[in-house]
């Protein structure tokens, strides 16, 4: 579960460090945050490329193991994860804080080595380790410092002359010093993060010490989670590890599956024991009953090993009840583990549906996240325009927010909260809020993924994304239709909206927690837009979110019959809005959970199942549920001119499916 503050601007935490212990003190906002080299005008790199792995492994002695926010040798040297603070030239210190949660069984052991990754050399450096008591809010002077005479691009491995013994309940800041340059050159962006390959960003995974408030009061600042964690790792010798010990962590699958279908369960395994786990067994339990055993599916070591288990969802599971799949360590080297078992299992809660419960998809919700102050956001507009031209089923809403120093005139409070829910990078977009479990596309583990695609790659990527949308719509089906009826009074500017629909027999059980959400958008607007280093005064803005008519994250579905619902809304349009250019977008989605001022929903459980769109003052056709009685299959194929085809033909094919939907397919050969 992720916990996100329901507020777009959160202050940075400042930590003062002197020769004596100091209390944490809250810092003010930094006037300019970190800069990614890939966001700098003139940066040349193909978007969405695979990470470049740095192959060197650190030399480990017997009993040593890597500890950190990730424990592989991965580094991304492509420039997509290279960052710097060119507005703060001079001596800075970059680090991470390993909390008791990350240190785990390393308590009692010693930090013997440190490694830090760089995008480019920074000359001489110094590695330091500071004890940190998060409960008391106190940080202490360095207990170990090691001079580094020279640095290289990639991993820099440092053996400590003064190892550090890890105390119970204590955190440790591990840092390196470097000279920050202010020039717009590669060596101004030396910091490397795990932004493109590790989804587990930590609040303490990226810290910088310097005068970032420019008030002659240097301190430690946490830099937020949107950039990932700095590539810094500790090597620990000893600790409270047992001889036989495995750690298992589950991935993020969907939360609903078709009966008789497959569930791909991704997991990472790591050997934490003092002995090599040459063999082990994993139990697979469904609703507390063992249904399968997995025998040593992948070799494990002190570094993470990834394995995907394909679970077949039984066809006789109840639709009305939730289910639980649990995978746990049953034995290691033939022995059942009895100590350090707190990380030996994980569970997945899920629901099921039958083919008879699925209705036809109407439209796909595309939420674009953009800003007037974002220099790469025009790339996002160009890309979505190309994608929209390939399909006829997109309900596109452009959600604006403030970014950088330029105020965006189309920012809304509702939009800001949507940004908090979905975004880690600009420009980005979500597609039915589906979680894309692909590290190269979605390195930050958010629902919105990067669409800052260079214009020269738009055609190929729009085709790939169109196919991705088809896959999303197949894996997240619709269970109720969405029909929209609107009436608009020009004199009073009052708009009445009715959102209604119908499902099949199990619809109430499947959608028992789901919500209806209603957006108002406007086309034909213009405004200031940063494009690279250029300021465009009258940039065209379409699909702009003007208002969320429902509650920000939706209202409960108002069931009016056994399988039918109807939600009513009324809103008065702002005098500055042009009703002739406005659209109503309505959709059914999973609920967004909020506790206090925090969003606590799992990223894989906010998806949208069905969407529709209509112009203000108009009404969509009433769509009855289309019952599918088996696997969705192709039933007819047509050329773009309407001619029926007997086989796939080169170019765009229109494919009619057995569930009543149609798809555009690009055939290359």
């Amino acid at each position: 579960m992720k916990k996100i503050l329901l507020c777009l601007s959160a202050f940075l935490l400042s930590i003062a460090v002197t020769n004596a212990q100091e209390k944490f003190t809250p810092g003010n906002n930094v006037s300019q945050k970190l800069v990614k080299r890939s966001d700098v005008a003139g940066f040349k790199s193909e978007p969405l490329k695979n990470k470049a792995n740095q192959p060197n492994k650190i030399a480990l002695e017997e009993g040593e193991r890597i500890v950190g926010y990730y424990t592989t040798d991965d580094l991304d040297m492509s420039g997509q994860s290279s960052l710097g603070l060119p507005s703060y030239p001079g001596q800075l210190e970059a680090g991470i804080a390993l909390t008791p949660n990350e240190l785990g069984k390393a308590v009692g052991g010693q930090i013997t080595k440190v490694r830090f990754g760089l995008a480019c050399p920074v000359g001489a450096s110094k590695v330091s380790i500071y004890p940190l008591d998060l409960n008391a809010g106190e940080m202490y002077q360095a207990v170990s410092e090691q001079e580094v005479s020279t640095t290289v691009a990639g991993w820099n491995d440092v053996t400590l002359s003064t190892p550090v013994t890890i105390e119970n309940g204590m955190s440790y800041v591990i840092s390196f010093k470097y000279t920050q340059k202010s020039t717009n050159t590669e060596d101004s962006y030396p910091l490397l993060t795990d932004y493109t390959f590790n989804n587990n960003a930590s609040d303490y995974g990226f810290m910088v010490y310097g005068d970032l408030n420019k008030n002659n009061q240097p301190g430690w600042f946490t830099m937020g989670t949107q950039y990932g964690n700095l590539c810094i790792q500790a090597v620990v010798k000893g600790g409270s590890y047992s001889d036989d010990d495995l750690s298992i962590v589950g991935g993020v699958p969907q939360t609903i599956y078709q009966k008789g279908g497959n569930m791909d369960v991704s997991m990472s395994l790591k050997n934490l024991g003092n002995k090599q786990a040459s063999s082990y067994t994993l139990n697979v339990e469904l609703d507390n009953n063992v249904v399968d055993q997995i025998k040593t599916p992948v070799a494990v070591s002190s570094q993470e090993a990834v394995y995907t288990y394909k679970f077949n969802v039984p066809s006789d599971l109840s639709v009305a009840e939730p289910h639980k799949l649990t995978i746990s360590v049953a034995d290691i080297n033939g022995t059942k583990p009895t100590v350090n078992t707190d990380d030996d299992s994980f569970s997945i809660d899920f629901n099921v549906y039958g083919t008879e419960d699925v209705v036809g998809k109407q439209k796909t919700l595309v939420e674009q996240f953009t800003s007037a102050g974002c220099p790469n956001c025009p790339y996002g507009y160009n890309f979505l325009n190309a994608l929209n031209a390939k399909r006829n089923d997109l309900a596109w809403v452009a959600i604006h927010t403030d970014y950088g120093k330029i105020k965006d005139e189309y920012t809304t409070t509702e939009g800001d909260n949507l940004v908090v829910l979905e975004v880690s990078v600009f420009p980005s977009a979500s597609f039915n809020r589906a979680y894309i479990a692909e590290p190269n596309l979605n390195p930050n583990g958010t629902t919105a993924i990067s669409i800052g695609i260079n214009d020269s790659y738009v055609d190929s990527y729009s085709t790939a994304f169109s196919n991705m949308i088809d896959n999303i719509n197949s894996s997240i089906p619709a269970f109720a239709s969405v029909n929209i009826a609107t009436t608009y009074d020009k004199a009073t500017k009052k708009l009445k909206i009715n959102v209604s629909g119908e499902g099949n027999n199990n619809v109430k059980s499947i959608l028992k927690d789901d919500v209806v959400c209603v957006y108002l958008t406007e086309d034909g607007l213009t405004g200031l837009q940063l494009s690279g280093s250029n300021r465009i005064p009258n940039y065209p803005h379409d699909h702009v979110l003007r208002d969320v008519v429902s509650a920000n994250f939706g209202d409960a579905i108002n069931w009016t019959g056994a399988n039918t619902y109807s939600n009513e809304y009324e809103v008065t349009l702002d005098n500055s809005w042009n009703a002739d250019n406005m659209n109503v977008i309505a959709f059914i989605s999973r609920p967004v959970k909020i506790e206090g001022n925090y969003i606590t929903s799992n990223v894989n459980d906010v998806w949208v199942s069905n969407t529709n769109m209509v112009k203000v003052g108009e009404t969509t056709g009433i769509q009855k549920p289309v019952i599918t009685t088996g696997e969705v299959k192709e039933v007819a194929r047509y050329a773009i001119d309407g001619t029926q085809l007997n086989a796939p033909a080169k170019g765009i094919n229109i494919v009619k499916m057995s569930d009543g939907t149609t798809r555009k397919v690009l055939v290359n050969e």
Side-chain angles (χ1 to χ4, degrees), residues 589-616:
S589 77
R590 297 288 296 143
V592 175
K593 299 174 184 176
I594 298 175
E595 298 176 8
N597 290 324
Y598 288 88
I599 296 172
T600 59
S601 290
N602 285 327
V603 70
N604 64 322
D605 194 26
V606 293
W607 40 267
V608 172
S609 59
N610 209 4
T611 305
N612 214 338
M613 181 173 70
V614 68
K615 290 185 69 64
V616 163

Side-chain angles (χ1 to χ4, degrees), residues 268-285:
S268 63
L269 299 122
K270 187 164 55 174
N271 184 39
L272 298 180
N274 295 319
K275 293 166 52 180
Q276 174 60 37
S278 56
S279 66
Y280 59 94
T281 302
L282 305 178
N283 276 348
V284 180
E285 296 180 31

Side-chain angles (χ1 to χ4, degrees), residues 50 74 108 136 148 182 282 433 466 555 566:
N50 291 334
D74 288 340
V148 181
S182 61
L282 305 178
R433 295 184 186 171
S466 182
D555 298 314
S566 178

Side-chain angles (χ1 to χ4, degrees), residues 231-455:
C231 295
I232 298 177
Q233 298 172 341
V235 173
V236 175
K237 187 170 186 177
S240 59
Y241 300 95
S242 58
D243 284 344
D244 296 311
D245 189 12
L246 281 183
S247 165
I248 180 171
V249 179
V252 186
Q254 296 170 204
T255 56
I256 190 165
Y257 290 88
Q258 182 176 324
K259 293 188 292 185
N262 289 320
M263 177 193 300
D264 290 335
V265 184
S266 177
M267 64 192 82
S268 63
L269 299 122
K270 187 164 55 174
N271 184 39
L272 298 180
N274 295 319
K275 293 166 52 180
Q276 174 60 37
S278 56
S279 66
Y280 59 94
T281 302
L282 305 178
N283 276 348
V284 180
E285 296 180 31
L286 176 62
D287 296 335
N288 299 318
N289 296 309
V290 176
V291 295
D292 195 9
Q293 286 194 322
I294 311 169
K295 301 285 188 179
T296 318
V298 63
V300 293
S301 68
S302 62
Q303 296 193 346
E304 296 166 357
V306 177
Y307 169 68
T308 299
Y309 170 68
K310 193 174 289 291
F311 174 69
N312 182 257
V313 180
S315 57
D316 60 351
L317 289 184
S318 168
V319 171
E321 301 171 355
H323 302 279
K324 183 185 293 291
L325 185 76
T326 301
I327 298 182
S328 60
V329 178
D331 68 67
I332 307 169
N333 294 329
T335 302
K336 181 180 179 180
T338 57
V339 296
N340 297 333
T341 58
D342 54 310
D343 54 2
D344 282 12
S345 67
F346 69 91
S347 296
I348 298 166
D349 296 315
F350 68 99
N351 292 279
V352 297
Y353 66 91
T355 55
E356 69 278 5
D357 300 312
V358 177
V359 306
K361 280 275 190 184
Q362 290 162 286
K363 291 190 180 295
T364 296
L365 179 69
V366 177
E367 291 171 300
Q368 172 199 8
F369 297 95
T370 187
S371 176
C374 166
N376 287 336
C377 281
Y379 284 132
Y381 260 111
N382 295 343
F383 169 71
L384 288 181
N385 275 319
L387 180 63
N388 197 38
K390 291 184 185 297
R391 306 181 65 94
N392 61 359
D393 66 340
L394 301 186
W396 175 2
V397 53
I399 299 164
H400 287 241
T401 191
D402 293 330
Y403 182 96
K405 297 182 180 180
I406 295 179
K407 176 72 176 175
D408 193 311
E409 61 182 301
Y410 299 123
T411 295
T412 63
T413 301
E414 296 86 354
D416 281 350
N417 283 329
L418 291 167
V419 169
V420 171
L421 172 69
E422 302 192 58
V423 178
S424 62
V425 65
F426 289 89
S428 61
S430 66
F431 304 88
N432 280 341
R433 295 184 186 171
Y435 177 74
I436 310 300
E438 169 52 59
N440 294 321
L441 282 175
N442 190 13
N444 300 300
T446 53
T447 57
I449 60 179
S450 172
I451 55 170
I453 297 168
N454 190 287
D455 290 345

Side-chain angles (χ1 to χ4, degrees), residues 628-646:
T628 59
T629 57
E631 182 182 356
V632 178
K633 298 179 180 179
E634 176 181 330
V635 296
R637 182 179 289 258
Y638 302 89
I640 196 68
D641 61 1
T643 305
Q644 188 163 2
L645 302 172
N646 295 321

